[in-house]
């Protein structure tokens, strides 16, 4: 059973508009959530994270929202830029375990 | 600082051959991970280590072995390569449990 799910394999948005990427999880022990960005032929790079004690975390154009009761988080990118085109992975970890469980990723395409 | 360095970047193996994927970090991180990414999928944890001399199995450990004799190095060993091990392998490090991971650029392995 997949514990972290990204149900949209792809998303296409126009430059300047908002991109919303979604992620659902099933394991109630998860208490730390991260988003990573990945370009082709590169390793993932960290984008933004949120602890379960918060419901929102903002960093520049990127905001992550966490709804614990729904076991759902989302990444908002405003405004979207062509350079944001990449694969975005949602990841979750439980306490001191450190190791993260990843979703399958969403490919974001931002059109100029 | 190089961060996380993986070698080789590409490798083609014949069925039944063995090889070691190298991972070295200069970030003085205790936590290290090996993930594999199959096409269109997320990252699956193979093995991880919380410090020198300590290793543990992840989600998909079969067919692999690891060792962690130093803080810097975390090699991944494939003993009898099988086509199912064709994948992109990522090594990652993490300083503390509730922080982001830093990834290498990956090793693309093809088993024929």
């Amino acid at each position: 059973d997949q514990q972290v799910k990204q149900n949209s394999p792809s998303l296409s948005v126009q430059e300047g508009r908002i991109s919303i990427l979604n992620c659902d999880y099933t394991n109630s022990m998860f208490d730390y959530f991260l988003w990573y960005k990945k370009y082709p032929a590169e390793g993932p790079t960290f984008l933004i994270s949120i602890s379960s004690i918060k419901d929102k975390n903002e960093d520049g154009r990127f905001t992550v929202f966490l709804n614990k009761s729904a076991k759902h988080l989302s990444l908002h990118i405003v405004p979207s830029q062509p350079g944001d085109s990449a694969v975005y992975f949602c990841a979750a970890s439980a306490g001191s375990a450190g190791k993260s469980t990843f979703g399958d990723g969403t490919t974001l395409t931002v059109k100029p | 600082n190089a961060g996380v360095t993986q070698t080789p970047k590409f490798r083609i193996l014949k069925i039944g051959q063995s090889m070691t994927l190298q991972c070295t970090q200069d970030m003085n991180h205790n936590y290290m991970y090996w993930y594999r990414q199959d096409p269109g999928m997320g990252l699956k944890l193979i093995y991880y280590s919380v410090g020198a001399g300590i290793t543990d199995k992840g989600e998909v450990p079969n067919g692999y072995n690891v060792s962690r004799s130093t803080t810097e190095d975390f090699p991944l060993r494939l003993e009898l390569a099988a086509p199912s091990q064709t994948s992109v392998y990522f090594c990652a490090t993490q300083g503390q449990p509730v922080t982001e991971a830093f990834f290498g650029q990956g090793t693309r392995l093809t088993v024929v």
Side-chain angles (χ1 to χ4, degrees):
Chain A
D1 182 34
Q2 199 167 8
Q3 298 187 64
V4 178
K5 293 182 182 179
Q6 295 177 254
N7 290 318
S8 297
S10 63
L11 174 68
S12 181
V13 299
Q14 208 65 36
E15 181 179 6
R17 301 285 188 128
I18 184 171
S19 296
I20 301 176
L21 293 85
N22 294 302
C23 178
D24 297 296
Y25 63 96
T26 58
N27 188 340
S28 56
M29 298 299 291
F30 289 147
D31 58 5
Y32 188 62
F33 305 89
L34 312 96
W35 286 93
Y36 290 87
K37 179 178 179 179
K38 185 182 180 304
Y39 292 118
E42 295 184 8
T45 56
F46 171 73
L47 192 58
I48 192 168
S49 64
I50 187 166
S51 164
S52 61
I53 62 173
K54 295 185 175 181
D55 54 19
K56 177 183 174 181
N57 189 26
E58 203 169 346
D59 184 1
R61 296 186 297 115
F62 303 92
T63 303
V64 56
F65 296 91
L66 176 63
N67 182 334
K68 287 187 291 294
S69 60
K71 294 191 176 67
H72 176 83
L73 61 154
S74 61
L75 174 67
H76 293 210
I77 306 173
V78 183
S80 301
Q81 299 174 354
D84 296 329
S85 297
V87 178
Y88 289 78
F89 289 103
C90 171
S93 67
S96 60
K99 54 191 172 77
S100 288
T101 300
F102 283 77
D104 286 343
T106 295
T107 300
L108 174 66
T109 303
V110 180
K111 298 180 179 178
Chain B
N1 287 349
V4 182
T5 302
Q6 289 184 237
T7 55
K9 288 188 170 51
F10 304 94
R11 183 73 186 268
I12 298 175
L13 274 183
K14 293 186 178 178
I15 294 171
Q17 287 185 324
S18 61
M19 76 165 293
T20 299
L21 283 68
Q22 301 290 348
C23 176
T24 298
Q25 55 112 348
D26 62 2
M27 306 178 80
N28 200 32
H29 285 171
N30 284 325
Y31 291 75
M32 294 190 76
Y33 307 92
W34 274 107
Y35 289 93
R36 60 177 285 174
Q37 185 191 13
D38 298 330
M41 305 291 285
L43 282 73
K44 304 291 185 190
L45 183 64
I46 305 171
Y47 269 95
Y48 67 102
S49 169
V50 299
I54 306 169
T55 62
D56 208 346
K57 295 178 180 178
E59 189 182 357
V60 290
N62 291 343
Y64 307 94
N65 274 302
V66 293
S67 60
R68 184 91 183 273
S69 56
T70 66
T71 299
E72 294 78 19
D73 299 306
F74 190 40
L76 178 71
R77 179 84 179 162
L78 283 73
E79 289 295 348
L80 289 170
S84 61
Q85 294 177 304
T86 294
S87 191
V88 181
Y89 292 83
F90 291 102
C91 177
T93 72
Q94 188 179 31
Q96 300 290 336
V98 192
T99 59
E100 72 271 25
F102 296 84
F103 285 82
Q105 287 201 311
T107 295
R108 183 175 294 275
L109 176 67
T110 302
V111 182
V112 296

